[in-house]
Amino acid sequence: MVSRPLVSQDVTLLKTGVALEVAASYPHADRKSTRAAFCLHPWSWLGGSMRDPTVQNIVKSLEDSDFYVVYYNSRGVGRSTGWPSFTGQAEGSDLKELVQQFLGEHPQVKSVTFIGYSHGSLIATLHSALPSHIKTSYVLLSYPLSPRGLLTMFHTKVYSSALTCLLRDASVSLLVVHGEQDEFTSRSKYEAWTESLRETEGVKAQLEVVSVVQAGHFWHTRSSRATLKRILESWLMKVTAE
């Protein structure tokens, strides 16, 4: 029988003034894991939460790979206090505080991956790369390219600039995954955008783009979920290898 990781769930007070409902999975001590991942859920204004099925599938996959996994409800969701912002910048500040608090409690961690799904991928890009002794990687899943302006109160420049900074950082590994049948962003628009990412002036990050033929924005089907699992596990094994 495969033993399951220890999972804790509590409300964590941050220096930003809010308390977030946070769940954390801890691999067994004998695994001697040094890898952590932070999972960010879709837009709270449309019901996004850490219980989102796609987020939960990713969490399960990470647990099976012996990651420390942190997933949480953003401000105003579930038991988290505060009120969701319209720009996402307050949520970005919350993420930074949560990461620092976690790393302070777990100094053995040598690799951190930010996995943002939909609106969560926008927030993930607001966190800059960590100090050089910690590998930093990012997974942008179903990046909401077409509705980005509406989701951020037209602060599109903030997010495009943040992503450009990551692309210009040689210490960063970045994976972009999208479905070719995404309900919000067309395949052609994704292709043009990802090509522009590759052509970013001064790009130094390790960038990989994967489009999944039979997948939409929500990864509802069994086949799309299985494909996503394989993509994530393969890429994470490569970029977070100890």
Side-chain angles (χ1 to χ4, degrees), residues 147-223:
R148 181 170 56 180
L150 293 174
L151 298 181
T152 62
M153 192 65 80
F154 304 103
H155 283 63
T156 302
K157 183 66 174 177
V158 171
Y159 292 90
S160 60
S161 296
L163 184 51
T164 296
C165 287
L166 295 180
L167 289 167
R168 290 174 175 168
D169 192 325
S171 70
V172 165
S173 296
L174 177 63
L175 173 65
V176 177
V177 184
H178 67 87
E180 293 189 1
Q181 298 178 16
D182 191 281
E183 291 83 353
F184 304 105
T185 303
S186 68
R187 175 183 174 182
S188 61
K189 187 162 185 176
Y190 266 134
E191 288 177 344
W193 176 64
T194 54
E195 185 59 30
S196 72
L197 297 183
R198 292 188 180 98
E199 296 176 353
T200 299
E201 183 179 355
V203 62
K204 296 177 182 176
Q206 298 179 51
L207 172 64
E208 187 169 339
V209 177
V210 180
S211 60
V212 180
V213 177
Q214 297 296 327
H217 191 84
F218 301 103
W219 306 89
H220 282 326
T221 67
R222 181 177 298 179
S223 62

Side-chain angles (χ1 to χ4, degrees), residues 21-235:
E21 183 179 4
V22 179
S25 299
Y26 300 91
H28 290 277
D30 59 0
R31 304 292 189 183
K32 294 182 170 54
S33 177
T34 61
R35 301 184 298 171
F38 291 79
C39 299
L40 289 76
H41 65 70
W43 204 33
S44 61
W45 288 102
L46 291 179
S49 79
M50 67 182 188
R51 298 303 175 192
D52 177 273
T54 298
V55 172
Q56 287 297 306
N57 285 333
I58 293 171
V59 168
K60 173 64 165 55
S61 179
L62 292 165
E63 289 175 342
D64 291 344
S65 298
D66 293 322
F67 275 77
Y68 290 89
V69 189
V70 180
Y71 52 108
Y72 63 97
N73 279 329
S74 61
R75 52 176 59 204
V77 180
R79 293 193 293 152
S80 295
T81 64
W83 193 255
S85 73
F86 286 104
T87 67
Q89 290 174 276
E91 286 79 357
S93 296
D94 293 341
L95 173 62
K96 293 172 185 176
E97 288 296 335
L98 183 61
V99 171
Q100 289 306 306
Q101 187 166 316
F102 178 85
L103 292 178
E105 296 170 354
H106 301 280
Q108 76 276 21
V109 169
K110 303 301 180 187
S111 170
V112 171
T113 303
F114 298 99
I115 304 179
Y117 170 40
S118 191
H119 181 264
S121 66
L122 294 172
I123 307 306
T125 63
L126 295 180
H127 199 297
S128 56
L130 291 160
S132 58
H133 68 280
I134 300 178
K135 293 181 182 178
T136 313
S137 53
Y138 299 79
V139 177
L140 309 184
L141 176 62
S142 295
Y143 189 90
L145 183 60
S146 289
R148 181 170 56 180
L150 293 174
L151 298 181
T152 62
M153 192 65 80
F154 304 103
H155 283 63
T156 302
K157 183 66 174 177
V158 171
Y159 292 90
S160 60
S161 296
L163 184 51
T164 296
C165 287
L166 295 180
L167 289 167
R168 290 174 175 168
D169 192 325
S171 70
V172 165
S173 296
L174 177 63
L175 173 65
V176 177
V177 184
H178 67 87
E180 293 189 1
Q181 298 178 16
D182 191 281
E183 291 83 353
F184 304 105
T185 303
S186 68
R187 175 183 174 182
S188 61
K189 187 162 185 176
Y190 266 134
E191 288 177 344
W193 176 64
T194 54
E195 185 59 30
S196 72
L197 297 183
R198 292 188 180 98
E199 296 176 353
T200 299
E201 183 179 355
V203 62
K204 296 177 182 176
Q206 298 179 51
L207 172 64
E208 187 169 339
V209 177
V210 180
S211 60
V212 180
V213 177
Q214 297 296 327
H217 191 84
F218 301 103
W219 306 89
H220 282 326
T221 67
R222 181 177 298 179
S223 62
S224 67
R225 291 195 298 268
T227 300
L228 176 61
K229 184 176 186 291
R230 288 195 298 272
I231 291 168
L232 290 179
E233 288 179 348
S234 174
W235 186 80

